[in-house]
Amino acid sequence: MAGLPLPPPNPPPLSTRNQTSTSSSANFAQIPSWVSLKRSSSTIKTEKIQQGKLENLHLVSLSKQGKLKEAHDFLKEMDDADVSVTPHSYQCLFEACGKLRSLADGRLIHDRLRRTVKNPSGSIENCLLRMYCDCGSCIDVQKVFDEMLMKNLVSWVIVISAYAKNGELEKAIRLFSDMQASGIRPNSAVYMSLLQSCLGPSFLELGKQIHSHVIRAQLNANITVETAICNMYVRCGWLEGAKLVFDGMDAQNAVTWTGLMVGYTQAKKLEVALELFARMAMEGVELDEFVFSIVLKVCCGLEDWDMGRQIHSHIVKLGAESEVSVGTPLVDFYVKCGDIESAYRSFGRISEPNDVSWSALISGFSQSGRLEDCIKIFTSLRSEGVVLNSFIYTSVFQACAAQANLNMGSQAHGDAIKRGLVSYLYGESAMVTMYSKCGRLDYARRAFESIDEPDAVAWTAIISGYAYHGNAAEALGFFRRMQSYGVRPNAVTFIAVLTACSHSGLVAEAKQYLGSMSRDYGVKPTIDHYDCMIDTYSRAGLLQEALELINRMPFEPDAMSWKSLLGGCWAHCDLKLGKIAAENLFRLDPGDTAGYILLFNLYSAFGKWEEAGHVRKLMAERELKKEVSCSWISVKGQVHRFVVGDRHHPQTEAIYSKLEEFKCSVIDSPVRLLNEEDDVSCSLSARKEQLLDHSEKLAIAFGLISTEDNAPILVFKNLRACRDCHEFGKQVSMVTGRQIVVRDSTRFHHFKSGKCSCNDYW
DNA sequence: GTAGGGTTAG
């Protein structure tokens, strides 16, 4: 990728509602250091009043720049020179402390205020209150508030909002009553802060009471307050109430409509949400930049890609594409569409992308398999010091998992920890998967054990990890542990459990788990679960059972059902059933290359060359090409890739002579089977030659000559391991005593002392 | 007052 597209010229802004106007206050950063209390500056010293003004000006400047340490020093100098601090300076100092959330500084300056000023004004005290709120210290807020002699409306608003924001709603309500008792009428700000604190269904009753207070206070004609009430009902899960308030309003603005659409989206009533948008557009409500994100989300949920594109063109007409709050949801929409090119184009039109925009794009690349791009963008963002977030890291972990890129994955891991950006559960589960797919089950386990309270997804990740590595005992152990912790398994968990069983020949266990899903766990089995069971029977050679299950299961068999059976027929040499399975598979998925190869091998095994040739012709007719097979190994941080018969590597001679040492391992059976790695069109004798230099063997041989004698060898390949290479792995592990690990397209093979963890089942 | 990005699978 040659750099990202340039942003276009700025379009007219949508609405200025959210654009903070730049204040016209002086730039205090420019006040030079001559405003200091050097005793030599006699001109300043002589004029007492002027002097105080300048010092206070400097103090204000330091506060606005957030230079609190310098401010403290300067305050001391002012004390020494007997210059008093003005109320305005105190206000600025408190504002700075609040902004920086520096409670310690705030308390120091508060102390100073107490010592030097007898009766501070109400507005100073309100500043103090606000400072302690910003620093999150309710104790200090309460103390100041209790000692205040002149409590005005603002003071009450600050304190009530402080408690409300802090989740102490009861206290806020009590203060609210006190306020009324003391004869002060609450304003809309008080009600807004109380309403915003009603966060879930448990607050519904309280929310209703606040609502009735609003009506009594006659504030219910205020569009902002009404919108807040509407959103309160949405958050409390009472959509009907929200709708009632909405319909009762004299006029609604874009915010009101957006809030209601969010409500219907959360309630999974997507059609209603979309209707609302249509109505809103028809009624000519002035759209703002936030409306589109929710509508586009609705389109994604409905998979209504046409509607999404229509909305996109509407956005273009409004000239809002470059707005980050509009462009980012657009990127996500196209990612969900599976249209990564459009997503990338939309991203390029955002004039000032933020971290959310980047994460939407990166996850798009990760999900669409553009892993190189994903990693590339991540690396360049990191080096440019752009703000990253935990979403980005989660996507990077995923990409590294798919790429089996342990190097990048563990680097990103360390980096994310340093920046505190491993997101709880999301990032952690992705990390478990990353390590297990990179071949480091030990790290995966450690990553898992460090999760505070793993949820079903995290448990599923570790169970899948062990299943993927062919260790059913551990996988099932984790499944039991999961239940002992009271975490309920979901549908995907059972896929992992059943996969663990099928790869280890645990037929009875699989049957029992499938049967217990609905009964004991309340998880309804889907066709995927039945396919796992069919796979289990097939691998174990129980082909009749597999066929029976296909016929009597409560679903129409899909391609996967027949493919599993075909795999079993191939492994256990059942031509008759294999033909039936293949016919059905090709009917449902004519493009399944691996299926044709299975059938070809099956015919060949029975010496049925004519039929085998027919399969080959069929593949050619349907223009099915095998993916070019390759294997790779990482040595000292460098990745070495090999294809069949590869002679490009600088150490080719040494690699081939190492292979010669193991030559006798090639099974010399009268029937030479076709493997995924072989060229389908070449002759039998040529294929025999090919067996010697399959990419997997080349990678293993290179591993042998380029690593320490006792180091384990980890090889990755893009296709399924063939029988010869599998035997080769076993033999090498026996002769050399090395541990060999091969990840093929479906699982890990751990070769040790002449045996493989897959028990020759894969 | 409002929204936007991600976790587990064969």
Side-chain angles (χ1 to χ4, degrees):
Chain A
M1 187 191 314
L4 296 161
L6 287 168
N10 289 344
L14 268 175
S15 140
T16 50
R17 184 159 57 77
N18 266 346
Q19 294 173 354
T20 43
S21 59
T22 42
S23 73
S24 56
S25 60
N27 183 357
F28 288 94
Q30 298 201 343
I31 293 184
S33 54
W34 56 262
V35 191
S36 70
L37 260 190
K38 294 287 170 256
R39 302 191 191 281
S40 56
S41 55
S42 53
T43 45
I44 294 176
K45 214 174 164 186
T46 48
E47 283 188 53
K48 197 84 182 167
I49 301 165
Q50 177 68 9
Q51 188 185 35
K53 263 191 184 171
L54 284 170
E55 274 84 38
N56 276 292
L57 197 57
H58 186 48
L59 201 52
V60 168
S61 153
L62 292 173
S63 313
K64 301 236 165 169
Q65 293 176 67
K67 293 181 177 169
L68 287 176
K69 198 187 164 300
E70 286 90 332
H72 282 300
D73 294 343
F74 193 67
L75 277 169
K76 236 177 244 139
E77 286 191 46
M78 284 172 74
D79 279 345
D80 292 346
D82 197 23
V83 177
S84 58
V85 178
T86 62
H88 179 241
S89 299
Y90 271 116
Q91 283 186 8
C92 293
L93 283 164
F94 288 137
E95 270 169 29
C97 296
K99 214 167 155 189
L100 296 168
R101 301 184 193 290
S102 176
L103 186 58
D105 285 307
R107 281 182 175 156
L108 273 173
I109 295 165
H110 183 192
D111 260 355
R112 195 179 186 291
L113 175 75
R114 254 196 299 240
R115 274 188 279 113
T116 54
V117 182
K118 265 256 159 79
N119 291 314
S121 72
S123 68
I124 286 239
E125 286 186 307
N126 283 341
C127 275
L128 245 177
L129 280 177
R130 213 171 277 132
M131 181 271 290
Y132 282 128
C133 286
D134 292 341
C135 293
S137 173
C138 278
I139 300 171
D140 287 285
V141 172
Q142 187 71 55
K143 235 197 294 182
V144 175
F145 187 68
D146 289 344
E147 289 167 8
M148 273 176 87
L149 298 172
M150 297 281 292
K151 295 185 179 83
N152 61 15
L153 176 65
V154 178
S155 331
W156 284 99
V157 172
I158 295 172
V159 178
I160 292 173
S161 322
Y163 281 111
K165 259 186 221 145
N166 214 31
E168 297 182 58
L169 203 47
E170 270 179 42
K171 223 165 192 170
I173 298 284
R174 222 176 304 141
L175 281 162
F176 172 74
S177 315
D178 294 347
M179 175 188 193
Q180 284 176 310
S182 74
I184 293 181
R185 265 186 64 192
N187 64 357
S188 61
V190 175
Y191 288 109
M192 299 278 280
S193 72
L194 293 178
L195 287 165
Q196 280 160 35
S197 308
C198 298
L199 295 170
S202 61
F203 293 95
L204 181 58
E205 282 315 308
L206 187 62
K208 283 182 182 171
Q209 284 182 37
I210 300 168
H211 185 183
S212 68
H213 275 276
V214 169
I215 295 171
R216 256 175 283 162
Q218 293 182 320
L219 285 166
N220 53 327
N222 178 325
I223 192 164
T224 312
V225 176
E226 284 284 82
T227 302
I229 291 169
C230 202
N231 289 331
M232 177 274 292
Y233 284 131
V234 164
R235 275 195 306 274
C236 294
W238 192 38
L239 209 46
E240 294 83 357
K243 187 76 181 16
L244 275 173
V245 175
F246 182 91
D247 289 336
M249 287 171 76
D250 289 336
Q252 305 90 348
N253 61 19
V255 181
T256 327
W257 285 91
T258 307
L260 199 61
M261 281 162 63
V262 169
Y264 280 105
T265 310
Q266 281 167 357
K268 303 218 180 338
K269 295 182 176 170
L270 300 175
E271 287 88 357
V272 185
L274 197 56
E275 272 168 35
L276 279 175
F277 177 71
R279 259 182 59 200
M280 176 185 183
M282 268 200 342
E283 288 180 19
V285 178
E286 196 190 344
L287 302 181
D288 69 5
E289 54 186 310
F290 293 111
V291 178
F292 299 108
S293 52
I294 188 69
V295 195
L296 287 168
K297 195 178 181 173
V298 169
C299 293
C300 287
L302 290 170
E303 301 195 351
D304 192 341
W305 312 127
D306 278 339
M307 178 58 77
R309 286 194 193 92
Q310 279 182 47
I311 287 165
H312 184 182
S313 61
H314 195 70
I315 289 169
V316 173
K317 272 181 224 153
L318 288 171
E321 255 187 322
S322 60
E323 205 71 37
V324 66
S325 46
V326 181
T328 305
L330 257 181
V331 172
D332 182 53
F333 167 76
Y334 281 115
V335 164
K336 302 258 159 68
C337 269
D339 184 353
I340 188 75
E341 295 305 327
S342 299
Y344 189 49
R345 239 174 285 136
S346 294
F347 180 89
R349 296 197 187 104
I350 303 174
S351 58
E352 285 176 11
N354 61 16
D355 61 314
V356 181
S357 329
W358 284 111
S359 62
L361 184 71
I362 286 185
S363 89
F365 279 130
S366 167
Q367 281 163 29
S368 63
R370 302 245 315 242
L371 310 172
E372 306 254 334
D373 290 330
C374 175
I375 302 291
K376 224 189 252 171
I377 292 180
F378 168 67
T379 324
S380 75
L381 285 182
R382 201 169 51 164
S383 66
E384 283 163 26
V386 175
V387 177
L388 299 170
N389 59 33
S390 62
F391 289 76
I392 293 178
Y393 277 98
T394 305
S395 295
V396 170
F397 293 145
Q398 267 187 299
C400 291
Q403 231 184 12
N405 191 340
L406 180 64
N407 210 345
M408 187 75 229
S410 39
Q411 261 186 57
H413 179 187
D415 198 48
I417 287 180
K418 255 189 270 166
R419 300 177 192 224
L421 292 176
V422 179
S423 108
Y424 174 58
L425 295 179
Y426 279 86
E428 289 171 319
S429 303
M431 229 156 62
V432 170
T433 303
M434 185 266 289
Y435 280 123
S436 79
K437 290 205 173 174
C438 288
R440 296 304 303 254
L441 206 43
D442 50 342
Y443 288 177
R445 185 177 188 136
R446 260 162 61 184
F448 175 79
E449 301 288 1
S450 71
I451 301 177
D452 242 357
E453 274 182 46
D455 64 351
V457 174
W459 283 101
T460 305
I462 192 70
I463 294 170
S464 305
Y466 277 99
Y468 198 54
H469 283 261
N471 190 337
E474 283 284 353
L476 298 177
F478 272 101
F479 181 62
R480 280 188 293 273
R481 247 181 83 193
M482 169 184 188
Q483 292 162 77
S484 75
Y485 278 90
V487 180
R488 280 185 54 186
N490 61 26
V492 184
T493 314
F494 279 101
I495 300 272
V497 167
L498 293 170
T499 307
C501 294
S502 77
H503 283 270
S504 301
L506 305 179
V507 179
E509 286 83 349
K511 221 167 135 180
Q512 187 236 318
Y513 283 121
L514 181 66
S516 69
M517 278 180 66
S518 190
R519 191 184 58 226
D520 301 339
Y521 301 94
V523 181
K524 261 186 105 176
T526 65
I527 177 110
D528 295 328
H529 299 100
Y530 279 93
D531 284 344
C532 285
M533 192 66 224
I534 292 163
D535 193 43
T536 310
Y537 281 134
S538 303
R539 283 171 194 272
L542 302 169
L543 302 175
Q544 281 309 317
E545 280 85 343
L547 182 64
E548 263 169 42
L549 185 56
I550 287 180
N551 288 328
R552 74 174 159 83
M553 66 180 177
F555 299 95
E556 271 297 304
D558 62 5
M560 183 55 91
S561 322
W562 294 110
K563 193 175 173 176
S564 300
L565 180 61
L566 178 58
C569 293
W570 168 73
H572 299 281
C573 294
D574 188 327
L575 183 58
K576 204 174 143 207
L577 201 51
K579 271 156 72 178
I580 298 171
E583 255 169 50
N584 283 295
L585 170 59
F586 299 152
R587 176 174 53 84
L588 293 166
D589 183 6
D592 190 315
T593 313
Y596 291 92
I597 293 174
L598 281 172
L599 184 62
F600 180 94
N601 284 338
L602 194 52
Y603 278 128
S604 309
F606 281 83
K608 306 236 175 201
W609 306 113
E610 208 173 304
E611 288 88 341
H614 180 67
V615 175
R616 218 159 69 180
K617 240 171 73 189
L618 210 61
M619 277 184 84
E621 275 168 22
R622 296 183 179 174
E623 295 182 348
L624 293 176
K625 278 190 191 133
K626 287 189 319 91
E627 201 182 331
V628 176
S629 74
C630 73
S631 301
W632 63 98
I633 180 171
S634 170
V635 175
K636 295 187 187 90
Q638 175 129 30
V639 176
H640 302 258
R641 275 167 62 116
F642 300 90
V643 295
V644 193
D646 205 325
R647 290 191 168 270
H648 293 94
H649 197 276
Q651 279 163 269
T652 294
E653 289 313 316
I655 292 170
Y656 277 89
S657 69
K658 192 78 197 172
L659 271 183
E660 285 294 314
E661 290 176 28
F662 297 96
K663 199 169 175 181
C664 54
S665 80
V666 175
I667 321 155
D668 205 21
S669 68
V671 177
R672 183 70 59 211
L673 299 184
L674 179 64
N675 293 296
E676 283 199 36
E677 187 145 345
D678 296 328
D679 182 355
V680 195
S681 60
C682 74
S683 73
L684 224 55
S685 59
R687 280 211 302 278
K688 190 170 177 178
E689 278 307 303
Q690 274 185 347
L691 285 176
L692 289 169
D693 46 20
H694 273 179
S695 62
E696 190 177 332
K697 289 181 187 170
L698 296 175
I700 292 177
F702 177 69
L704 286 172
I705 62 170
S706 58
T707 56
E708 300 279 323
D709 275 350
N710 53 355
I713 293 174
L714 179 55
V715 166
F716 297 88
K717 71 172 297 179
N718 62 340
L719 298 177
R720 214 203 296 213
C722 80
R723 273 214 191 282
D724 296 291
C725 290
H726 198 260
E727 286 302 316
F728 180 78
K730 282 161 54 175
Q731 197 206 354
V732 172
S733 75
M734 184 149 74
V735 175
T736 63
R738 294 244 208 160
Q739 204 194 330
I740 313 247
V741 182
V742 174
R743 188 192 90 161
D744 69 9
S745 57
T746 54
R747 61 172 296 153
F748 273 95
H749 300 265
H750 291 257
F751 300 102
K752 207 174 168 183
S753 318
K755 280 192 164 169
C756 181
S757 61
C758 76
N759 288 321
D760 301 340
Y761 259 0
W762 74 96

